[in-house]
Amino acid sequence: MMIPVTNLRTGACFTDGKDLFLVLTYEHVKMGRGTATIRVKVKNLKSGATTEKSFISGAKVEEASLAKKEMQYLYKATNFVFMDPQTFEQIELSAEKIADSAPYLQEGMTVKILFHQEEPLTLELPIKMEFTVAETEPGIRGNSATNIFKDAVLSNGLKIKVPLFVKLGDRILVDTRTGEYEERVMK
């Protein structure tokens, strides 16, 4: 089924030629008297590559039908291994297919795996996940008229920027789409 490119919101899937794409960001650009342009940042679900595509506002693309299945992350061997909690069937996803999501995976967590014609393509993480700050320097009081950030290493090894008030051992929420600090979790 053909859908207008103006419907390509974040999370939508479409095919372009033989490639299958997942929309990561959507932007509608209107310059002067010309035609509007739709700019999308997409992830190729077959290769794992991220790219940008532009369409004129009247264009249409072929909608892709994907199935989502909740599965439990077990462990990483050569590939990442997931299990269906109902059937105990196990599948593997390569590091290339889930490169951006890999640092957020924790053994035993439930994620959604996207399938196209019974082939597992990629996974969908929760938008916000909670982690413990494993390393950071103490915050320096004083110049706080603007938002000042410092480096921190989380319990999963991810390095991010956090506000000065975040201390070692604090629990924080991280946006898995951007890898940025969201908020501190109060105990």
Side-chain angles (χ1 to χ4, degrees):
M1 179 171 104
M2 298 297 278
I3 58 168
V5 292
T6 51
N7 291 354
L8 292 179
R9 301 294 187 234
T10 303
C13 291
F14 68 96
T15 56
D16 190 16
K18 293 182 180 179
D19 293 324
L20 187 62
F21 294 101
L22 175 69
V23 177
L24 303 175
T25 61
Y26 170 92
E27 184 181 7
H28 184 216
V29 181
K30 176 88 168 113
M31 302 278 281
R33 294 178 163 188
T35 328
T37 304
I38 307 301
R39 233 182 272 151
V40 289
K41 184 176 179 182
V42 294
K43 178 179 180 180
N44 185 322
L45 294 176
K46 302 266 185 194
S47 69
T50 303
T51 186
E52 287 196 8
K53 289 190 160 292
S54 294
F55 302 97
I56 58 170
S57 65
K60 292 186 176 193
V61 291
E62 183 71 31
E63 184 178 30
S65 59
L66 294 182
K68 291 182 185 179
K69 187 187 283 188
E70 285 201 355
M71 300 192 88
Q72 183 180 19
Y73 172 60
L74 297 178
Y75 58 90
K76 182 186 185 307
T78 308
N79 292 320
F80 293 85
V81 181
F82 298 86
M83 177 185 72
D84 184 326
Q86 274 78 40
T87 64
F88 303 108
E89 171 192 357
Q90 293 184 7
I91 63 160
E92 293 186 15
L93 285 173
S94 67
E96 293 82 35
K97 288 188 176 184
I98 62 169
D100 299 339
S101 305
Y104 301 104
L105 289 174
Q106 300 169 359
E107 287 185 12
M109 76 180 292
T110 302
V111 296
K112 290 182 180 147
I113 306 285
L114 299 175
F115 289 85
H116 183 256
Q117 298 172 348
E118 301 298 317
E119 178 191 355
L121 297 172
T122 190
L123 61 94
E124 197 175 90
L125 291 170
I127 293 173
K128 293 180 184 177
M129 289 182 66
E130 191 175 314
F131 296 98
T132 303
V133 177
E135 292 176 35
T136 190
E137 3 77 36
I140 301 165
R141 291 186 176 220
N143 186 8
S144 61
T146 60
N147 289 339
I148 302 173
F149 290 87
K150 62 182 179 178
D151 293 326
V153 178
L154 304 180
S155 55
N156 63 345
L158 193 65
K159 294 177 183 170
I160 68 166
K161 297 276 190 192
V162 296
L164 286 178
F165 60 81
V166 174
K167 303 181 299 290
L168 185 69
D170 280 355
R171 303 279 299 158
I172 63 170
L173 285 180
V174 176
D175 187 325
T176 58
R177 299 167 298 183
T178 62
E180 295 176 354
Y181 167 87
E182 280 292 313
E183 64 183 290
R184 184 168 57 174
V185 178
M186 294 303 173
K187 297 171 183 153

